[in-house]
Amino acid sequence: MTVTDTDPAIARDSVASALEQDRVESHLNPPPSYDLADHPLPTGREEVWRFTPLKRLRGILDGEASATKLRREVSLPEGVTLTEITAEQARELGELAPNDRPSALAVANAGGAVLLDVPADLELETTDPVVVTLTGENADDLVWGHVVVRLGRHSKATIVLRHTGSARYAATTTVVVGDGAELNMVSLQDWDDDAVHLGRDAIRVGRDASVKHTSVSFGGDVVRMHANVEYDGPGGHAELLGLYFADAGQHLEHRLFADHNQPRTKSNVAYKGALQGKGARTVWIGNVLIRKVAEGIETYEENRNLVLTDGCQADSVPNLEIETGEIEGAGHASATARFDDEQLFYLRSRGVSDAEARRLVLHGFFNDLIRKVGIPSLEEQLTATVEAELAKNVLDGLPPVGSS
C-alpha cells in the first residue's frame, strides 16, 4: 500500500519538533497549557490584561463550578453531526491548548466538549449554513463552554455561532481545518446588556486550507474575544475579520494572534468598530508572529475605529514580531477618528440632513466589511443592527463628537 497523505498527528508532531528547535514565545500570547497554575488570577498589571476591567467580570475568573448550560438550538445540514465528547477526546482531536485563564477554566469546568463534525469531501452551500444558537437565561449564571469544530479534508462549510440572552460565559472553541478544506465561520455576540463573555477561538489551518473567521460584537456589558491562528502545513490562508459597535458603558475587546509557524502561509486581519455614548470603550490588540521557519509568508493587519460622540475611548495596538527576513510581505495599520468633516459638509451641501449624512458615512464605513461576511441573510441582519445602533444616539439628536 502506498501512503500519499501525511497523517495529521505526524504533521502536528513535525510542527512541534520544528518549534521546539526554534522556540519563540510572543509577549502578547502566553504559552498554552491545560494547567490552571500556569494561568494565575490576573491583577490587571499584566500586558495581556491591562485593558480589561477585571472588577466588571463579576467573579468569572475565580473559576467557581456551575452546572448551568446555555440553551442550545442547532440547524445542521445533512451529513454534519453534533456530539458530546470528553475533554480527553478533544485533546486527541488536536485542539489547541488554552493560552489564557478563561479558556483553561472552560476546559476544566465544562464537563466535556461538544464536537461539531463536517466529514471529509462534504461541500455545503453558503445558503445552507450550520447555525448554533446559544442562549443564556440569567445574568448571574456562570456557564462554561468547550467546543471543537472539525472540518475533514477537502470539505467546505459555513458555520454561524450565535450568542444571545444573559449569562456570565467563558468558552474555548478550537477549529481544526483539514488539508484543502474551506471554512467560513462567524461568531456573533448579540447578548443582552448585562452579559459578560470571555471567549477564545483557536484555529488550526491545514495544508492549502482556507479559513475566514468573522467576530461580530454588539451586545453585552463586557465582551473579550480572542482569536488565534496557527498552521499545520504550507499554503494555508486565514482571513480574520471583525465588526463591533460599543454603546454607553460597554466594553468590547478583541485580541488577535496569527502564529506563522509554517512557510508560504498567509493571514489578513481587518477589524472595524464604532463607539457612541459616555463610557463606551473598545480595545483591539493585533499580533502576528513570524517564526524563522516561516519563509515566504504574507501578512497584513488593520484596525479602524470611528468615534461618534464625546466620552468614548478606543485603544488600538497592532504588533509584528518577525524572526526571519525571508518573507513576501508584512504590515499593519491602525486609525481612530471621528466623522470626517469634509464628507459631512459635502453631503449637507447637497441637501442631506445632518443625521442622514452621519448615517450614510457610517454605513459606508462598515459596508465593505459586512459584504465580506459571505452569508447574505446575515449581512442583511448586520446592516439592520448597525442601523438600530445608530438610532440609539447618532440619529436621535445626541451631539456628535466635538460639537458644543
Side-chain angles (χ1 to χ4, degrees), residues 55-370:
K55 292 182 180 180
R56 290 170 59 182
L57 300 184
R58 295 162 43 216
I60 198 170
L61 295 178
D62 295 330
E64 64 181 82
S66 172
T68 306
K69 300 289 185 181
L70 299 184
R71 187 174 75 251
R72 186 170 67 209
E73 299 177 22
V74 183
S75 174
L76 295 180
E78 185 177 355
V80 181
T81 60
L82 186 73
T83 58
E84 295 190 2
I85 60 176
T86 66
E88 290 73 21
Q89 289 173 318
R91 295 193 195 191
E92 293 170 359
L93 291 173
E95 73 169 1
L96 277 71
N99 70 342
D100 61 9
R101 185 170 178 84
S103 55
L105 284 169
V107 171
N109 295 330
V114 174
L115 172 63
L116 180 63
D117 204 2
V118 180
D121 300 314
L122 177 63
E123 295 191 10
L124 302 175
E125 298 295 331
T126 303
T127 54
D128 192 21
V130 177
V131 180
V132 180
T133 301
L134 300 173
T135 303
E137 303 294 340
N138 191 308
D140 292 328
D141 289 341
L142 178 54
V143 187
W144 309 103
H146 187 185
V147 180
V148 178
V149 178
R150 180 173 62 177
L151 262 70
R153 298 171 68 254
H154 303 296
S155 62
K156 180 179 179 181
T158 299
I159 298 173
V160 179
L161 186 60
R162 185 192 307 269
H163 304 92
T164 63
S166 294
R168 292 178 294 157
Y169 184 57
T172 181
T173 300
T174 289
V175 184
V176 181
V177 183
D179 294 349
E182 182 178 338
L183 171 65
N184 181 11
M185 182 174 179
V186 178
S187 177
L188 176 60
Q189 288 64 249
D190 196 16
W191 296 100
D192 293 344
D193 292 340
D194 53 3
V196 175
H197 183 186
L198 307 181
R200 177 186 183 234
D201 291 350
I203 305 166
R204 175 174 281 129
V205 185
R207 185 186 186 98
D208 297 323
S210 175
V211 174
K212 176 161 63 177
H213 177 276
T214 306
S215 183
V216 181
S217 298
F218 288 119
D221 177 43
V222 177
V223 174
R224 185 183 194 262
M225 304 302 294
H226 195 179
N228 294 174
V229 172
E230 67 176 48
Y231 301 84
D232 248 357
H237 181 204
E239 185 175 21
L240 304 176
L241 307 176
L243 185 154
Y244 48 91
F245 203 133
D247 289 324
Q250 272 189 303
H251 179 98
L252 303 181
E253 182 171 342
H254 293 84
R255 310 181 75 91
L256 291 302
F257 179 59
D259 186 352
H260 283 274
N261 58 341
Q262 291 282 349
R264 300 185 302 283
T265 50
K266 296 181 180 180
S267 66
N268 182 69
V269 176
Y271 271 61
K272 287 189 175 183
L275 304 84
Q276 64 179 2
K278 185 177 180 179
R281 177 81 180 273
T282 64
V283 177
W284 179 87
I285 308 294
N287 192 34
V288 175
L289 172 60
I290 304 172
R291 299 181 185 270
K292 289 183 180 180
V293 297
E295 296 183 354
I297 69 98
E298 292 183 46
T299 181
Y300 191 81
E301 56 177 351
E302 69 170 332
N303 175 231
R304 309 290 180 183
N305 297 288
L306 190 57
V307 179
L308 305 180
T309 65
D310 287 324
C312 306
Q313 180 176 341
D315 293 288
S316 180
V317 186
N319 300 273
L320 280 172
E321 301 179 81
I322 304 175
E323 296 295 320
T324 176
E326 300 298 323
I327 60 177
E328 292 295 323
H332 58 205
S334 170
T336 299
R338 62 185 181 89
F339 278 118
D340 189 304
D341 290 334
E342 291 186 2
Q343 291 178 342
L344 294 177
F345 176 79
Y346 176 86
L347 291 168
R348 288 197 295 260
S349 68
R350 280 150 180 79
V352 179
S353 68
D354 181 74
E356 179 67 9
R358 282 182 271 154
R359 187 186 72 83
L360 291 173
V361 169
L362 190 63
H363 273 285
F365 175 74
F366 279 131
N367 196 45
D368 62 331
L369 193 147
I370 290 176

